[in-house]
Amino acid sequence: MKQEFLDSTDLKLLDALQHDATLSNVALAERFKISPPTCLRRVKRLTDEGWIERQIAVLNADKLGAALGHGLTSLVEVTLDTQGAEHLDAFEQRAIADESVQQCWRVSPGPDFVLVVQAADMPDYLAITQRLLTQDANVRNVKAFFATKRAKFTSTWPVLRKTT
């Protein structure tokens, strides 16, 4: 298997793109003092090798919630009754297929999963739990925490270590 390697230019490109994926190839090339063809080739390689999964727009949750009624965010701990690989995989597949589940994490120790669930309101949350958690005989315990304020949200990774 080919070993993937990131040099300092790759790390700078990843850092810049994770903060602003709308930067043009020319702007990136100028910022890092490389030619546009080299920049394009590097970004393509980073994408082809899976370093860049996808480019998305991060929406403003407060504005979207006010406009559409998506006002209830919950962090949900789920413990399964049986933790065999097939049971964990089955629950995970059902959770990730549900559009209300924004994030699904297998965790240890403690619960088996932590989900981030977005609902319009409490009746919508109840419907989500009915279809995702209650109907599964293998779910032993559910503990939900409801967000009252989002103090920070980011999807960035500290690829460039800051020195002080």
Side-chain angles (χ1 to χ4, degrees):
M1 179 176 196
K2 177 184 168 189
Q3 177 155 353
E4 298 166 337
F5 172 75
L6 297 175
D7 65 15
S8 63
T9 301
D10 292 331
L11 291 173
K12 289 175 187 174
L13 287 167
L14 289 172
D15 188 62
L17 288 170
Q18 76 174 341
H19 285 90
D20 184 0
T22 66
L23 290 170
S24 71
N25 182 60
V26 171
L28 281 170
E30 287 175 359
R31 180 181 291 186
F32 301 117
K33 299 179 181 20
I34 56 178
S35 71
T38 297
C39 184
L40 188 63
R41 193 169 40 255
R42 282 178 174 261
V43 171
K44 182 178 180 341
R45 180 182 61 82
L46 292 169
T47 301
D48 291 346
E49 290 179 359
W51 296 101
I52 300 172
E53 276 187 45
R54 59 190 168 136
Q55 295 182 0
I56 61 168
V58 177
L59 306 180
N60 183 305
D62 293 333
K63 287 186 176 199
L64 193 61
L68 300 178
H70 294 92
L72 187 64
T73 302
S74 59
L75 292 94
V76 182
E77 294 180 353
V78 178
T79 303
L80 301 181
D81 196 36
T82 306
Q83 286 87 14
E86 66 280 0
H87 299 289
L88 292 165
D89 290 344
F91 179 82
E92 181 179 292
Q93 289 307 308
R94 197 168 63 261
I96 64 175
D98 193 298
E99 67 179 13
S100 297
V101 177
Q102 291 185 322
Q103 296 181 43
C104 175
W105 297 86
R106 280 195 197 186
V107 295
S108 178
D112 297 307
F113 292 91
V114 174
L115 309 177
V116 176
V117 177
Q118 188 67 40
D121 51 27
M122 191 55 78
D124 187 37
Y125 175 79
L126 178 61
I128 294 164
T129 61
Q130 290 293 318
R131 84 174 164 258
L132 190 60
L133 307 172
T134 306
Q135 293 177 359
D136 185 351
N138 193 38
V139 172
R140 178 181 10 165
N141 190 38
V142 176
K143 187 174 183 181
F145 303 88
F146 297 96
T148 57
K149 176 184 176 188
R150 182 175 80 175
K152 180 179 181 179
F153 171 83
T154 185
S155 61
T156 61
W157 285 75
V159 296
L160 297 177
R161 299 288 178 205
K162 307 287 189 230
T163 57
T164 55

